[in-house]
Amino acid sequence: MLYLGIAIVITFPVVLSLSTQFLGGDTSDSYEMARHIWWFKTALQTGQSPFWQSNLGYPEGFSGVSLQANFLQFFPMWLFAFVMPLATAFNLTILLTLALNGWSLQLWLRQALRRENGLPARAIDAGALLAGVVFMAAPTFQGHLFEGHAGLLVQWTVPLYLLALERFVAAPRFAWRWLALAVLFFQLAPSGHMLQVIYMLLPLTGVLLLVRLWQRDGRGAARIVLVGAAGSVLLLLFLLPLIQETLASAAYTDTGGYVRYSADLLAIVTPSFFHPLWGKLPYTAQVLGVNLGEGSQYIGLAAGLLALVGVRHFPAARTWLLLALVAWVLSLGPLLKVLDQPVLLRLGDYQTYLTLPLAPLQNLPGFNLARTPGRFNFALALALAALAGYGAAGLWARQPRLAAGGRTAGAAGLLLAALIVADYQSFFPVPTRPAAIPDAVYALRGRDDVRAVFNIPYEHLLGAKDALYLQTAHEKPLIAGQVTRQTPVNPARLALLQATLHPALLRSRGADIIIWHKQRAQQMGRYDALAALLARQFPPPIYEDAQIAIYETPADPAALPPLTTLAPASATLTDSLEAYVYAPQSRWLLVEATLTGTGQEVSLSRDGRPVQRLRVTGTQRLRVPLPLPADSFTALRLSLALPCPAVSAPPLTCDAVQVNSLSISEMPVPVRFDLIEFDRGIELLSSAVVPAAADHVMVYLDWRLSQPPGAFDIRFVHLLDSQGRNVAQEDSRLSPLPVAQAWSEAIRLSTAGLPPGEYTVRVGWYDLNTMQRFAVQTAGLPGGPDAAPILGTITLP
């Protein structure tokens, strides 16, 4: 009950508004978490899979397998949601989680302190009790509480893992029970958030193993390795679907932040700038800046003094000092920061930054997902709690009046606990978000004519979370939506729907209701533009307040809009730039631009698949034909193979490419979407044959290659007369392609001087060494597998 009471104090006054306010600030994930709680409950009630987001990304939906892997992130929230409001379920789970963190730490440290000879029982109890207070109240927990990171707060499994591991390692005989429990809690430790494998399990288990090796305890080291290996194998099997999805998702792999979300060098002595007393210190905001959630690691006065006592008097405590040092160094990230700015090092005319041990690790597979080094502070909090517990036990053991127990000891323990909590308090009162939703949003729930809701501006990351929470009221599918970080829905679709707000286009995608998040648009500087577009395209809203406006999409009988593009006419390419296209009919698209550079490699990709590469030396013209199916949204991206460095300092200068006259036009060329498959994983997805002028014919080809073509793999396009004679051809190799990818090309075959008549265009591949054609895998084509497929027929007058 003590720990639950402390949790209530830390989160005060939310206990007075459990059902009307969510814990967390305006930038938190609280609304997103609430939506996922609601979805678990709704899916189970309606017989759907909680791990498939059928009402997000309308109409296709998308996977939500991460909800399965991070089980304790939402449990028991969704269970509570069956019988209580979402806000109550969310807040109550966080209160219980904080209390469990303190309880489990106390349980483990009591076992550890019992191994110290001569410690009286009162000293052991006091040390374990105060260690639990330090752990549950640590500023890193309060920072993530502010951010609504409920899953990261789930740390009670880690002390239980330590308890079982230490019992297994110390057992005189091989104890299967403790092995099973250690492996179980090893798996449960990252079930609040899978990246706790990196932030907590890896440094913790690694340090324990190193200490055993240093002590030459081969048996103990072997048992730690056994637990780690067995737990890792089982954890890998459980997380495999999530790992596959995560590595394929740009929402994780393309997200940076290693420096921004790392701890400052001074963070260990910096309390929150929202602290009722310490927040008045002038340096707190300079150190923590906008990184209060990830960068909080204040050691504290009371806990710090207790830790020093523990290190001095107990050799066993030095293991936890080593873990504290390892976690602290890793939390600083790849570059040293002071006052929230990387430290600049000048060596003559050369400027660089001070790199830290995490720098060579951050791009390793797996580690590249851990973009928030500040989360190593959880391991630091665990180590500091253990050190403070040893210190408190030593203090009690050396004071007879405390060791004897009684009122004096109880008062001293409560006073120290109060000092620790008061010193650590990051917010008072704690930030909250309202749970109330306008009745007009609830009213949408009963409307059968509403298929889906489109929230704008869709690209505002916090607005996207607001939209998720509103879904718990209207219960309609969302055109966008996300499980974490950002939506996986095609950005071209979202960008063009928002840019045009064309009623017919919106209707074609099921967007019968538009919810405009007015304050989020204001924050992006998009308010006036969106307000004008909405006023031009829609009747007045059916509901409006200071936060949102709700519009019904008019039933516009007009045709879909013509070819619509969003692209900058010119830009300096330092990394990548994106363009979006909507095509109402199936046509070939021509992407053109003038590129100026000094030898950089530039690639053009379509919906994430590269279709052309070229090395830009001087000024060159980019001309790429791309086939588009009817009523399609396409995302195009121009990218540098080597992006400009984030830090502009010699010799890391930016070698950019200037892009001018970028245009995307529709060619009146019919597209043939007949898939033709060849050996070696080569597929012709679409093609077109067009007599472009009196003296030539244009052939457009769109390939997909499952592996890079070899140096002797030749693609050929032949023009044959009525007698089957080859009268024009273009044979070339695509071996410069470094990886398997798509490839689009336009081929010009000369018809100058050819007599009138009918001609056919054939395509295929052959091996230059053997002159053998690649067999055609597609059945039913004329000529069988050894013939070159016919793409089209032309008639020359």
Side-chain angles (χ1 to χ4, degrees):
M1 292 302 294
L2 172 66
Y3 292 130
L4 184 58
I6 292 174
I8 291 173
V9 170
I10 291 173
T11 60
F12 191 81
V14 79
V15 69
L16 305 178
S17 54
L18 282 174
S19 63
T20 59
Q21 297 286 325
F22 284 96
L23 281 164
D26 183 60
T27 60
S28 72
D29 291 348
S30 303
Y31 282 174
E32 181 178 328
M33 293 285 296
R35 184 268 165 195
H36 295 332
I37 299 167
W38 166 82
W39 172 244
F40 264 102
K41 176 181 73 76
T42 301
L44 292 173
Q45 286 176 326
T46 57
Q48 301 181 67
S49 169
F51 312 121
W52 177 258
Q53 300 299 310
S54 59
N55 63 355
L56 299 182
Y58 180 85
E60 296 90 355
F62 51 78
S63 173
V65 69
S66 65
L67 303 184
Q68 170 189 354
N70 300 326
F71 173 72
L72 289 179
Q73 187 174 29
F74 302 102
F75 181 84
M77 288 182 188
W78 57 263
L79 188 61
F80 290 161
F82 278 96
V83 294
M84 60 184 68
L86 290 175
T88 307
F90 179 82
N91 295 329
L92 180 59
T93 301
I94 287 182
L95 289 173
L96 293 175
T97 298
L98 293 175
L100 280 172
N101 289 341
W103 170 81
S104 65
L105 198 286
Q106 176 198 33
L107 190 67
W108 159 67
L109 196 64
R110 180 179 283 111
Q111 171 188 273
L113 290 173
R114 284 173 179 165
R115 293 195 293 270
E116 298 296 328
N117 295 326
L119 272 182
R122 299 289 185 182
I124 292 173
D125 291 342
L129 180 86
L130 290 172
V133 174
V134 172
F135 188 53
M136 69 173 293
T140 190
F141 284 93
Q142 298 193 44
H144 288 284
L145 176 67
F146 171 76
E147 297 292 354
H149 295 162
L152 287 168
L153 298 178
V154 179
Q155 299 290 336
W156 54 266
T157 53
V158 178
L160 297 181
Y161 160 65
L162 277 173
L163 188 150
L165 178 65
E166 290 181 350
R167 292 292 293 269
F168 174 61
V169 170
R173 296 181 179 179
F174 196 90
W176 288 101
R177 179 183 62 171
W178 291 113
L179 171 62
L181 286 173
V183 171
L184 171 65
F185 285 113
F186 184 96
Q187 287 191 276
L188 286 177
S191 58
H193 195 288
M194 79 159 181
L195 291 181
Q196 286 299 98
V197 172
I198 296 174
Y199 298 127
M200 181 64 89
L201 283 181
L202 188 59
L204 175 59
T205 307
V207 165
L208 293 177
L209 177 60
L210 286 175
V211 169
R212 291 289 172 174
L213 292 174
W214 176 262
Q215 296 171 344
R216 298 184 179 180
D217 179 6
R219 187 186 71 173
R223 290 185 177 183
I224 292 175
V225 171
L226 176 61
V227 171
S232 297
V233 170
L234 294 177
L235 189 61
L236 182 63
L237 293 175
F238 179 70
L239 294 179
L240 191 58
L242 176 62
I243 293 171
Q244 292 174 329
E245 181 178 288
T246 299
L247 295 177
S249 172
Y252 282 92
T253 57
D254 291 353
T255 307
Y258 299 99
V259 176
R260 178 183 177 185
Y261 298 123
S262 59
D264 192 284
L265 181 67
L266 302 178
I268 58 172
V269 293
T270 305
S272 166
F273 47 79
F274 289 118
H275 190 283
L277 181 61
W278 307 139
K280 297 178 181 179
L281 297 172
Y283 74 98
T284 55
Q286 291 178 282
V287 171
L288 296 177
V290 296
N291 195 21
L292 186 61
E294 304 288 355
S296 296
Q297 62 173 198
Y298 177 51
I299 290 177
L301 298 174
L305 290 173
L306 288 175
L308 289 176
V309 174
V311 171
R312 179 176 179 182
H313 293 290
F314 294 94
R318 292 161 196 171
T319 295
W320 307 108
L321 177 62
L322 176 60
L323 175 63
L325 291 173
V326 169
W328 177 62
V329 170
L330 292 175
S331 76
L332 298 178
L335 301 179
L336 183 65
K337 291 196 308 183
V338 176
L339 298 179
D340 202 34
Q341 295 296 322
V343 175
L344 183 64
L345 182 64
R346 290 184 174 87
L347 301 173
D349 294 333
Y350 180 76
Q351 297 180 358
T352 186
Y353 293 89
L354 290 177
T355 57
L356 297 174
L358 189 64
L361 302 176
Q362 68 180 27
N363 292 321
L364 294 177
F367 261 93
N368 64 337
L369 301 177
R371 67 184 184 99
T372 50
R375 294 181 186 178
F376 284 105
N377 287 328
F378 286 111
L380 176 60
L382 175 73
L384 180 63
L387 291 171
Y390 274 97
L395 185 63
W396 252 250
R398 285 164 177 76
Q399 298 294 325
R401 294 183 64 184
L402 297 179
R407 293 183 178 180
T408 301
L414 289 176
L415 178 61
L416 266 177
L419 287 174
I420 291 168
V421 173
D423 190 23
Y424 275 171
Q425 194 67 32
S426 295
F427 311 93
F428 201 84
V430 72
T432 58
R433 307 188 72 183
I437 296 177
D439 291 339
V441 179
Y442 281 98
L444 299 175
R445 181 185 299 182
R447 291 184 51 176
D448 295 333
D449 61 326
V450 175
R451 291 169 293 171
V453 175
F454 184 38
N455 293 269
I456 59 172
Y458 77 91
E459 67 268 49
H460 194 293
L461 297 181
L462 299 178
K465 297 175 184 180
D466 298 341
L468 286 170
Y469 182 55
L470 293 183
Q471 188 184 47
T472 67
H474 62 66
E475 297 188 353
K476 299 296 182 181
L478 301 183
I479 297 297
Q482 66 197 44
V483 170
T484 185
R485 293 193 181 173
Q486 65 188 45
T487 181
V489 175
N490 182 356
R493 180 192 304 178
L494 301 178
L496 288 161
L497 287 177
Q498 180 173 285
T500 62
L501 287 181
H502 192 288
L505 189 57
L506 289 166
R507 286 280 186 183
S508 73
R509 291 305 180 273
D512 298 317
I513 292 291
I514 307 298
I515 299 182
W516 179 31
H517 297 257
K518 297 161 63 177
Q519 288 196 348
R520 300 307 188 188
Q522 187 76 50
Q523 292 166 0
M524 294 186 69
R526 301 282 303 279
Y527 184 93
D528 292 339
L530 284 174
L533 186 58
L534 285 163
R536 186 167 63 250
Q537 298 282 54
F538 288 83
I542 60 175
Y543 171 81
E544 185 171 13
D545 61 24
Q547 303 289 332
I548 64 171
I550 303 177
Y551 293 83
E552 288 185 337
T553 304
D556 190 345
L560 295 178
L563 178 74
T564 305
T565 64
L566 283 177
S570 61
T572 299
L573 186 60
T574 59
D575 184 356
S576 64
L577 65 86
E578 292 189 340
Y580 304 119
V581 184
Y582 169 72
Q585 295 91 26
S586 59
R587 285 290 187 271
W588 282 83
L589 193 72
L590 184 62
V591 181
E592 297 181 281
T594 301
L595 307 180
T596 304
T598 57
Q600 304 91 318
E601 184 178 281
V602 175
S603 66
L604 174 68
S605 62
R606 175 186 59 197
D607 294 330
R609 289 180 172 270
V611 292
Q612 276 285 356
R613 280 185 173 87
L614 73 158
R615 190 166 297 279
V616 180
T617 302
T619 299
Q620 294 181 229
R621 188 68 177 164
L622 173 74
R623 287 175 56 88
V624 181
L626 296 174
L628 298 182
D631 193 25
S632 63
F633 296 91
T634 301
L636 304 176
R637 173 181 287 186
L638 271 177
S639 306
L640 286 181
L642 294 175
C644 288
V647 178
S648 296
L652 301 177
T653 57
C654 179
D655 198 9
V657 169
Q658 187 62 39
V659 181
N660 293 312
S661 305
L662 176 61
S663 66
I664 303 171
S665 57
E666 190 173 8
M667 298 188 297
V669 178
V671 187
R672 172 179 171 177
F673 289 103
D674 296 333
L675 176 66
I676 302 176
E677 298 178 272
F678 297 87
D679 271 349
R680 308 190 191 184
I682 298 174
E683 297 175 323
L684 182 61
L685 302 178
S686 52
S687 61
V689 176
V690 182
D695 63 346
H696 70 277
V697 59
M698 293 299 301
V699 180
Y700 301 99
L701 304 175
D702 184 41
W703 300 97
R704 181 168 60 202
L705 302 99
S706 62
Q707 61 187 18
F712 297 98
D713 295 344
I714 306 297
R715 185 268 303 128
F716 68 86
V717 179
H718 292 171
L719 182 67
L720 282 69
D721 63 14
S722 59
Q723 304 300 316
R725 293 173 297 192
N726 188 5
V727 295
Q729 68 184 79
E730 206 275 4
D731 295 21
S732 63
R733 61 187 183 93
L734 306 182
S735 57
L737 297 183
V739 294
Q741 63 175 69
W743 189 258
S744 292
E745 56 182 342
I747 299 163
R748 184 181 188 275
L749 296 178
S750 174
T751 59
L754 293 179
E758 189 173 85
Y759 295 83
T760 58
V761 177
R762 291 179 176 265
V763 67
W765 290 74
Y766 62 86
D767 187 319
L768 186 60
N769 284 322
T770 63
M771 299 306 293
Q772 294 293 317
R773 288 182 180 176
F774 292 7
V776 178
Q777 300 291 339
T778 303
L781 295 180
D786 296 328
I790 299 174
L791 295 184
T793 302
I794 64 169
T795 301
L796 297 181

